[in-house]
Amino acid sequence: MIRRPPRSTPKPSSAASDVYKRQQEQLNYKPNIRRNLGNRLMTALAALFSTIAVLPLVLVLGYVLLKGASKISISLFTELPPPPGLEGGGIGNAIIGTLVVTFIAALFAIPVGVGGGIYLAEYSKSDWFAQFIRFGTNVLSGVPSIIAGVFIYGTIVTSRLIFGNAYSAVAGGLALSILMIPTVIKTTDEGLKLVPDDLRRGALGVGASRFITITRITLPAAFTPIATGVVLAIARAAGETAPLIFTALFSPYWANLFSVDGLFSSIATLSVLIYNFSIMPLEVQNELAWAASFVLVTLILSLNLFARWLGRFASR
């Protein structure tokens, strides 16, 4: 059997080799040409502006940490603010008041916001009424918080509409709920839009009503983005000051949560305590204001981190 010699691959000509080398050189990164220099310049400017944008947050958090963290103690969370001229005391009533007012706001805002988002995503057909609701939601989300406080002050506080009481925790919760509703409506609407239509068609195809489809299929599927929006809305409401000055005012005493009068009377909150104590010419009150600032910033930061965790959990 005669073996044939293996065929040798033809070597490229010198002209083809030169063309190939020139093409490779054109693909190599050349740092000194104009477009690459411009790219590096714009990248550096973008990094600089990003640093400038984040720098105030870092400075505020660092300053509050330095001024307020040293005042943290057990008595800070368990005692009342001291009278002017006395040492010691704490902000326990303001912490409880903030939680109470925020909880009341959530009771009003979450059902209304989730219900509005369900209507926009599931029932409306992009008619003029749905467009009006979306436009009103966008406008309301940009309204200054003090406007919400003045509105509740003029309609509920001055008229003593709630059982003849003026300033109260319920009035403060209503003012904060106005600020929470747009965020909850938007996140509910967008979260339900992310649910595939195949799930709705499958549920309707097996005989489920639209109500059952929404409560058993679409809402559970969109629970994480809706919960993220609710947490962000709560974080915004917990740090507001202007609405509470007009509605909940302030109280140097513990809130009596085991009676109806406790919810329908003035109540202390962290934001108003910071405002009142920071303008006092007394060192003890100023130190409590810094400690309250640290507690409030920690609370809001924790809520925002929890919201980001929910968002990452939903993307998995």
Side-chain angles (χ1 to χ4, degrees):
M1 184 174 180
I2 301 174
R3 294 183 179 179
R4 295 180 178 178
R7 295 181 179 179
S8 59
T9 57
K11 296 183 179 180
S13 63
S14 59
S17 178
D18 294 339
V19 171
Y20 178 76
K21 289 181 179 180
R22 286 197 298 269
Q23 291 176 349
Q24 289 295 112
E25 290 178 357
Q26 291 177 357
L27 294 176
N28 292 334
Y29 178 75
K30 298 178 180 179
N32 295 325
I33 62 177
R34 182 180 300 176
R35 62 172 179 269
N36 290 332
L37 291 175
N39 179 56
R40 285 190 292 176
L41 176 62
M42 298 307 297
T43 302
L45 286 176
L48 176 62
F49 292 151
S50 299
T51 304
I52 294 174
V54 179
L55 186 61
L57 174 63
V58 176
L59 293 177
V60 169
L61 291 179
Y63 194 69
V64 172
L65 179 65
L66 292 175
K67 297 286 289 187
S70 60
K71 310 298 186 299
I72 300 299
S73 62
I74 297 178
S75 62
L76 183 74
F77 299 94
T78 58
E79 296 181 3
L80 293 172
L86 298 181
E87 299 289 336
I91 57 173
N93 62 334
I95 296 175
I96 294 177
T98 298
L99 297 177
V100 170
V101 172
T102 306
F103 179 74
I104 294 173
L107 286 180
F108 287 109
I110 293 176
V112 175
V114 173
I118 291 174
Y119 172 78
L120 292 177
E122 300 292 339
Y123 289 99
S124 68
K125 298 180 180 179
S126 298
D127 52 2
W128 67 269
F129 185 65
Q131 294 178 2
F132 172 75
I133 293 177
R134 288 192 174 93
F135 175 76
T137 302
N138 293 330
V139 173
L140 187 60
S141 62
V143 170
S145 60
I146 193 172
I147 302 300
V150 171
F151 171 73
I152 297 298
Y153 176 81
T155 57
I156 293 179
V157 176
T158 58
S159 62
R160 297 180 180 269
L161 188 62
I162 303 178
F163 301 107
N165 294 287
Y167 300 98
S168 64
V170 175
L174 286 172
L176 295 182
S177 66
I178 296 176
L179 305 177
M180 293 174 60
I181 286 175
T183 304
V184 180
I185 289 179
K186 286 182 178 181
T187 53
T188 303
D189 184 18
E190 296 299 328
L192 290 174
K193 288 180 179 179
L194 296 176
V195 178
D197 289 335
D198 293 339
L199 294 177
R200 298 181 179 89
R201 297 191 188 100
L204 296 174
V206 298
S209 62
R210 177 172 288 188
F211 177 78
I212 296 298
T213 302
I214 293 173
T215 56
R216 299 291 182 87
I217 304 297
T218 56
L219 274 181
F223 172 77
T224 303
I226 294 174
T228 303
V230 170
V231 173
L232 291 175
I234 292 174
R236 183 199 174 185
E240 291 293 343
T241 304
L244 298 179
I245 294 177
F246 287 93
T247 54
L249 204 60
F250 188 76
S251 174
Y253 307 107
W254 293 103
N256 189 5
L257 303 179
F258 299 101
S259 65
V260 179
D261 294 337
L263 297 178
F264 297 104
S265 58
S266 300
I267 193 170
T269 54
L270 285 172
S271 55
V272 180
L273 182 143
I274 295 169
Y275 172 75
N276 291 336
F277 283 11
S278 61
I279 60 178
M280 287 186 177
L282 300 173
E283 185 177 356
V284 175
Q285 274 69 21
N286 295 155
E287 292 178 352
L288 287 177
W290 281 115
S293 301
F294 175 78
V295 173
L296 185 60
V297 168
T298 303
L299 175 63
I300 296 175
L301 182 61
S302 301
L303 290 174
N304 280 275
L305 291 176
F306 180 66
R308 288 181 61 86
W309 178 82
L310 284 177
R312 291 181 179 179
F313 181 78
S315 61
R316 293 178 182 177

